[in-house]
Amino acid sequence: MGSPSGNESSVTYFILIGLPGLEEFQFWLAFPLCSLYLIAVLGNLTIIYIVRTEHRLHEPMYIFLCMLSGLDILISTSSMPKMMAIFWFNSTTIQFDACLIQMFAIHSLSGMESTVLLAMAFDRYVAICHPLRHATVLTLPRVAKIGMAAVVRGAALMAPLPVFIKRLPFCRSNILSHSYCLHQDVMKLACADIRVNIIYGLIVIISAIGLDSLFISFSYLLILKTVLGLTREAQAKAFGTCVSHVCAVFIFYVPFIGLSMVHRFSKRHDSLLPVIMANIYLLVPPVLNPIVYGVKTKEIRQRILRLFLMTTHTSAH
């Protein structure tokens, strides 16, 4: 496990269980999980390709959607290859530094995605409540700066994470109950006071997820107030442009809040529920987001149909 130092031990690697209690089924469960991962990558790459090649989609809403798709690919890729290695090849060990890198990537990318969802809500607010100012407020250079701010914010919030983990001594076990490295899971193995880690985690959740969800809710209250004063036809059009984003917000925040609550109140370290919630949190949003936007957004739906027809026509010849 590591090199002893008195009564303590410093781990050099962790062991990822995968799905506690379902080890004998993991090989077969990997197939649908791998299929979902491929669907997520293909779906999000399709969204990025369509927005990039369709010049009339070079608008803030669709550029933010590209950012969301890129983050979804990175989030799922940060965990799924290792998860497949565990399920198919029983490759359960992960080096301590690799665990820190994976942990930092997952948490920082989640923070970035939350910021992008907030930016998308702001875009909808300006487009519906101040339509004449939309083109001047959200210019393409400003959208690019918002994207950079999302990256910097997500990375900065998680920069102390490796330091707070490295300072902890581990003498109980090096077995993690999840399929990938999570801060909540790793810090529970420490044999020292983890109050600093707990407080840090709460600060990050409140300052990132908490504030973002609050501002998103406030944006939609203002949008609702404006929309209720429009004609029915205009109301339907306004609501239609918001449905996809509202779905994306629920798809991201509901699993995140559920996972946080389960980790906070679950007493058993080997419980299966937190593991399932963690896998849902990292895999379901990347799968559902391109489907939601593909179905609900007319411009993207039409472009996907054209791509499909072109592919069918080419293969027929």
Side-chain angles (χ1 to χ4, degrees):
M1 173 172 158
S3 54
S5 176
N7 294 326
E8 296 175 355
S9 175
S10 178
V11 298
T12 56
Y13 65 90
F14 290 106
I15 296 174
L16 298 165
I17 292 179
L19 296 173
L22 297 177
E23 287 85 357
E24 58 183 303
F25 304 109
Q26 285 183 165
F27 180 84
W28 302 109
L29 290 172
F31 289 97
L33 287 174
C34 185
S35 300
L36 288 173
Y37 171 63
L38 293 175
I39 290 169
V41 172
L42 182 62
N44 285 291
L45 283 175
T46 302
I47 294 289
I48 293 170
Y49 172 78
I50 288 171
V51 174
R52 184 179 177 183
T53 56
E54 195 72 32
H55 290 289
R56 64 194 178 99
L57 297 183
H58 291 181
E59 298 176 5
M61 181 175 78
Y62 299 108
I63 294 172
F64 285 133
L65 176 57
C66 274
M67 295 179 190
L68 188 70
S69 294
L71 289 170
D72 278 340
I73 292 172
L74 291 174
I75 286 175
S76 56
T77 302
S78 65
S79 61
M80 286 305 296
K82 180 59 181 177
M83 200 184 301
M84 294 301 99
I86 295 168
F87 292 175
W88 276 332
F89 308 112
N90 199 31
S91 176
T92 56
T93 60
I94 182 168
Q95 295 300 311
F96 183 84
D97 288 338
C99 184
L100 286 182
I101 292 169
Q102 186 184 58
M103 196 188 313
F104 175 81
I106 290 170
H107 290 298
S108 61
L109 288 168
S110 297
M112 294 173 200
E113 182 151 340
S114 181
T115 308
V116 170
L117 288 171
L118 174 60
M120 294 172 85
F122 177 69
D123 169 67
R124 290 300 83 209
Y125 162 72
V126 177
I128 293 170
C129 300
H130 305 282
L132 298 179
R133 296 175 58 192
H134 185 256
T136 55
V137 171
L138 282 167
T139 59
L140 293 185
R142 193 164 289 164
V143 168
K145 288 177 182 177
I146 292 172
M148 286 301 299
V151 173
V152 171
R153 183 195 184 210
L157 281 171
M158 292 303 152
L161 180 62
V163 177
F164 287 144
I165 291 295
K166 277 198 168 186
R167 73 178 186 87
L168 295 173
F170 297 90
C171 57
R172 294 172 183 164
S173 171
N174 66 340
I175 300 175
L176 298 172
S177 62
H178 284 58
S179 309
Y180 53 88
C181 293
L182 272 179
H183 179 224
Q184 303 96 313
D185 199 21
V186 173
M187 72 177 181
K188 288 178 182 178
L189 298 181
C191 51
D193 190 350
I194 60 170
R195 276 180 295 184
V196 172
N197 294 69
I198 293 171
I199 292 169
Y200 165 69
L202 286 172
I203 290 172
V204 169
I205 290 174
I206 292 169
S207 61
I209 306 299
L211 285 178
D212 291 352
S213 57
L214 182 65
F215 285 130
I216 289 170
S217 302
F218 185 62
S219 297
Y220 274 103
L221 284 175
L222 295 175
I223 289 170
L224 186 62
K225 181 182 176 182
T226 301
V227 168
L228 291 176
L230 303 175
T231 63
R232 285 195 173 183
E233 185 179 349
Q235 285 179 355
K237 185 177 180 181
F239 280 129
T241 63
C242 295
V243 168
S244 300
H245 179 253
V246 171
C247 290
V249 167
F250 277 102
I251 288 168
F252 176 79
Y253 284 107
V254 170
F256 180 89
I257 293 169
L259 177 61
S260 299
M261 295 295 286
V262 167
H263 266 289
R264 198 147 304 278
F265 298 109
S266 178
K267 301 297 181 183
R268 291 182 54 195
H269 180 67
D270 60 345
S271 175
L272 185 60
L273 181 59
V275 180
I276 293 174
M277 290 291 295
N279 291 340
I280 288 173
Y281 165 62
L282 282 196
L283 192 55
V284 170
V287 171
L288 291 184
N289 280 338
I291 295 173
V292 168
Y293 275 94
V295 171
K296 293 292 183 180
T297 309
K298 181 183 176 182
E299 293 81 1
I300 293 176
R301 184 173 66 248
Q302 289 175 341
R303 189 72 173 87
I304 289 174
L305 287 172
R306 287 213 307 271
L307 274 174
F308 177 75
L309 290 173
M310 285 173 58
T311 305
T312 307
H313 181 74
T314 303
S315 60
H317 286 76

